[in-house]
Amino acid sequence: WVARKEDPSILPLLYWGFVFKLVFTLVRYYVIAVVYDDNGDAGLYSMGGSIFMDLYRSGHLVFEIPQLASRGAETNRIAAVVGMVYMITGVSRYAASFVFAWLCFVGQILMYRGFRRAVPDGDSRRYALLVLLLPSMLFWPSSIGKEALMVFSIGVASYGAAQLLAEPVRGVGLPIFLAGVSGLFFVRPHMALIAIVSLAMAGGVSVISGF
């Protein structure tokens, strides 16, 4: 569907990007569980997620639990998202890893689509290669954690901003951008501020260049 909407020739690259994302999700899972001897945040998020799941199923909608009180609000929020995932999949860190990696992949696709709209004369194929197959983009966000949600939220915000800045301007871009900013605020509040300032600066440049 994305290839039909954007560029049919990009279809093989999208498929390969998805395949590599699946492979690196397994690699990342192995590194955390075996190489790091499970000394990573993913296990903490999963543990918290199982507690949140039990609370949600009993009708208690909360975003903080005593077991994670010393780890800060952001850790609680990520664990709460894992709890929502576990509401569907059951307690499975393996399944949650793939859900987070899929969200990351969706964000990467939205970045590509945003680039296509905002920079129509740019080398969108090269951009897709970088955003989909750069090793750091394949490895680090392919797990339960802040990185996957950040990439997803940045993708949503970027796509929404592209709708607002490119011609013709589409009003639907504003709620999409705000949804992405909300996701950024949920994970890293200062990144939400950066996104808002970036859009304001880009809009200002656009107005000035139009005179």
Side-chain angles (χ1 to χ4, degrees):
W1 179 81
V2 171
R4 285 199 304 268
K5 293 284 287 185
E6 301 296 343
D7 177 10
S9 69
I10 204 73
L11 183 61
L13 180 57
L14 297 180
Y15 276 134
W16 279 113
F18 186 64
V19 168
F20 274 103
K21 176 59 70 174
L22 295 177
V23 170
F24 272 82
T25 302
L26 295 172
V27 172
R28 180 88 167 112
Y29 188 92
Y30 177 83
V31 168
I32 294 173
V34 178
V35 178
Y36 291 171
D37 196 24
D38 212 18
N39 290 316
D41 289 340
L44 185 67
Y45 295 138
S46 180
M47 178 276 293
S50 65
I51 297 172
F52 274 111
M53 180 199 70
D54 291 335
L55 289 169
Y56 293 156
R57 286 184 172 176
S58 63
H60 297 89
L61 184 61
V62 298
F63 292 100
E64 291 186 8
I65 52 176
Q67 293 85 343
L68 296 177
S70 63
R71 300 305 296 263
E74 292 173 355
T75 298
N76 273 273
R77 289 195 288 265
I78 301 301
V81 174
V82 177
M84 294 174 187
V85 173
Y86 284 170
M87 288 276 287
I88 301 171
T89 67
V91 179
S92 170
R93 187 166 148 193
Y94 190 69
S97 296
F98 278 98
V99 171
F100 271 68
W102 177 78
L103 286 172
C104 173
F105 184 74
V106 171
Q108 291 168 283
I109 294 295
L110 289 173
M111 290 180 194
Y112 163 73
R113 295 199 66 196
F115 181 89
R116 286 273 303 177
R117 175 162 171 76
V119 194
D121 296 329
D123 190 340
S124 59
R125 186 174 186 85
R126 182 181 299 175
Y127 181 86
L129 281 167
L130 289 171
V131 81
L132 292 175
L133 299 180
L134 199 67
S136 59
M137 292 292 284
L138 285 170
F139 181 74
W140 291 109
S142 300
S143 176
I144 302 171
K146 300 179 181 73
E147 295 87 354
L149 295 182
M150 286 291 292
V151 172
F152 172 72
S153 299
I154 291 171
V156 174
S158 299
Y159 182 70
Q163 306 304 310
L164 293 171
L165 295 172
E167 293 291 342
V169 175
R170 296 174 181 169
V172 70
L174 182 58
I176 294 174
F177 175 77
L178 292 177
V181 168
S182 298
L184 291 172
F185 185 83
F186 185 79
V187 183
R188 283 278 193 260
H190 69 279
M191 289 297 295
L193 179 61
I194 290 173
I196 293 170
V197 172
S198 298
L199 179 63
M201 292 182 65
V205 171
S206 177
V207 170
I208 293 171
S209 63
F211 289 124

